[in-house]
Amino acid sequence: MRVLIVEDEPKLARLLRKGLTAQGLAADIATRGDEAMCMAMATAYDAITLDVMLPDTDGFTLCREFRRHGVATPVLMITALDTIHDRVTGLDSGADDYLAKPFSFAELLARLRALVRRPRDVLMPVLTVGPLRLDPAARTVHHGDVEIELTFKEFAVLEALMRRPGEAVSRFDLLECAWDDSYDNRSNIVDVYIGYLRQKVDRPFGTESIETVRGYGYRLRTEEVAA
């Protein structure tokens, strides 16, 4: 899961990012509305946490702009404004949930999980490529009837490949899907995790489903190939 944190208070933004990454999630930070809009339109985030008070706009307006520009990502609005009027305004602006400050991180995480699950039938269909089946909401992967245990990052890399079956996916795109923008994109971390995936989704089943595209990235074959 990749989350966009829209928060202009540096300390809180850092704490949220630290907490999310500790849970295996990728998290990016935007401190202004215009920055958040560019990031939300350029990256397929799974959820957005949105502070109401921003230096160049307010969260209500920004949420309306998200929806007007076709950004359908679930939005969790976070604010110290906790009157019924404020909550109604936030929800009517296109937000999916509302969390008042101060809040516990455990509750924020639970609300994010609920948001990702909620539109499962529309936004998070089960992905099937050959014998592989990946359920983004349940976070499960099966090869036929056999469940495969994956780490958070392994799951994110495999999901990125399964969303584009038969297509060459660049190392940069895989990095973008599984790691946040603080990671050094010159690292070979993608190649390392592809190796981990092959050990789990291919080798035990005698297949070679993940193909190297030399000098570019990787491709998930749409048909099962024996090793």
Side-chain angles (χ1 to χ4, degrees):
M1 184 192 300
R2 187 168 189 172
V3 179
L4 174 60
I5 301 166
V6 186
E7 172 61 62
D8 69 328
E9 185 181 334
K11 183 177 180 180
L12 178 56
R14 288 195 301 269
L15 286 173
L16 289 176
R17 185 179 199 170
K18 182 178 180 180
L20 292 174
T21 54
Q23 294 295 317
L25 282 63
D28 301 329
I29 296 173
T31 58
R32 296 175 53 86
D34 53 1
E35 181 185 19
M37 177 60 72
C38 290
M39 295 173 70
M41 293 185 67
T43 302
Y45 289 102
D46 297 291
I48 297 172
T49 66
L50 176 58
D51 186 24
V52 168
M53 306 302 291
L54 297 170
D56 59 334
T57 187
D58 63 81
F60 304 135
T61 300
L62 181 57
C63 194
R64 284 192 290 269
E65 286 298 296
F66 282 157
R67 301 318 186 208
R68 189 170 71 85
H69 285 83
V71 177
T73 307
V75 172
L76 173 60
M77 194 162 280
I78 300 176
T79 180
L81 304 175
D82 192 29
T83 67
I84 293 177
H85 173 75
D86 293 320
R87 293 198 294 272
V88 170
T89 301
L91 295 171
D92 284 346
S93 298
D96 298 89
D97 200 359
Y98 199 99
L99 185 60
K101 297 177 182 177
F103 56 86
S104 74
F105 181 76
E107 182 180 3
L108 178 138
L109 194 60
R111 287 178 180 270
L112 287 176
R113 288 196 298 263
L115 285 182
V116 171
R117 288 196 304 268
R118 190 178 299 169
R120 175 177 173 179
D121 58 330
V122 177
L123 297 179
M124 300 192 71
V126 174
L127 306 175
T128 302
V129 181
L132 290 174
R133 188 174 73 258
L134 182 147
D135 187 331
R139 298 196 64 80
T140 59
V141 176
H142 288 80
H143 185 289
D145 295 329
V146 180
E147 184 169 358
I148 303 171
E149 295 292 334
L150 299 181
T151 67
F152 286 110
K153 299 303 185 188
E154 291 166 354
F155 188 95
V157 173
L158 181 61
E159 180 180 357
L161 290 170
M162 291 187 68
R163 288 190 181 279
R164 297 168 59 181
E167 296 182 28
V169 183
S170 71
R171 287 177 175 83
F172 178 78
D173 285 347
L174 292 172
L175 192 69
E176 284 283 289
C177 290
W179 287 269
D180 57 43
D181 57 8
S182 67
Y183 209 91
D184 182 358
N185 62 16
R186 293 168 297 180
S187 168
N188 69 339
I189 191 68
V190 170
D191 303 303
V192 171
Y193 273 81
I194 288 291
Y196 295 158
L197 277 176
R198 284 170 168 160
Q199 292 291 329
K200 294 183 178 182
V201 305
D202 276 335
R203 180 160 294 183
F205 307 99
T207 60
E208 291 184 349
S209 62
I210 302 174
E211 178 183 19
T212 300
V213 180
R214 193 171 301 279
Y216 185 75
Y218 297 92
R219 178 189 296 115
L220 186 66
R221 298 178 187 271
T222 55
E223 56 187 32
E224 191 170 358
V225 177

